[in-house]
Amino acid sequence: MTDLELMQLAAEARKMAYAPYSGFRVGAALLTSEGRVYTGCNIENAAYGPTNCAERTAFFKAVSEGERSFAAIAITGGGGEDPNTLCAPCGVCRQVMAEFCDGAFRVILGTPAAVEVHTLQDLLPLSFGKSDLA
Ligand code: THU
């Protein structure tokens, strides 16, 4: 699975976004260490607060199916027909990633036309995690 292939799956998932309030549609594709892919879209709510980002939808689908080890996530989003050049994950989603992934976890941002790759360590330095509670 190449980064561009994973991004293509994120773009497909974006088509399922439920975003009647913001109009900002996001798709994510999460790759497990064993090569399985779980996709997700954002799911908004009239009360706003219960809205779930695409990244967390993908993580919660995977974790609820027993997955615990992840290699990468591709994220694409934007308000128009085509996604923006870049849609970076929100802070809450970064924290969810940190629960299940180490700093080397790859975060692939962009569109099916062009991607850039970051690590979770880059996106969430000095994070609070399970080792703090040990
Ligand atoms: N959103 C995501 O799904 N992922 C992100 O990385 C950024 C924001 C969603 C939440 C909300 O439905 C809409 O985009 C606007 O914030």
Side-chain angles (χ1 to χ4, degrees):
M1 172 76 53
T2 67
D3 291 351
L4 278 174
E5 285 170 342
L6 196 62
M7 180 57 79
Q8 186 61 52
L9 294 175
E12 283 299 312
R14 180 173 178 260
K15 294 177 183 169
M16 305 305 288
Y18 177 75
Y21 305 106
S22 73
F24 192 91
R25 298 193 312 284
V26 186
L30 175 61
L31 180 67
T32 72
S33 301
E34 294 183 332
R36 286 182 286 274
V37 176
Y38 293 81
T39 59
C41 63
N42 55 328
I43 304 169
E44 297 188 343
N45 188 281
Y48 295 4
T51 291
N52 207 57
C53 290
E55 298 90 322
R56 277 177 288 142
T57 302
F59 264 94
F60 295 159
K61 282 171 67 178
V63 171
S64 70
E65 296 292 326
E67 302 287 358
R68 293 292 185 273
S69 181
F70 303 99
I73 190 169
I75 304 162
T76 191
E81 189 59 35
D82 293 327
N84 295 352
T85 310
L86 211 69
C87 173
C90 80
V92 172
C93 288
R94 294 179 197 206
Q95 184 68 24
V96 169
M97 291 174 197
E99 183 65 30
F100 297 103
C101 308
D102 63 21
F105 179 70
R106 298 169 73 250
V107 182
I108 302 157
L109 305 178
T111 72
V115 297
E116 62 177 56
V117 183
H118 298 266
T119 64
L120 184 56
Q121 171 61 33
D122 293 340
L123 297 178
L124 193 66
L126 203 66
S127 62
F128 182 87
K130 53 178 79 107
S131 63
D132 294 292
L133 299 176

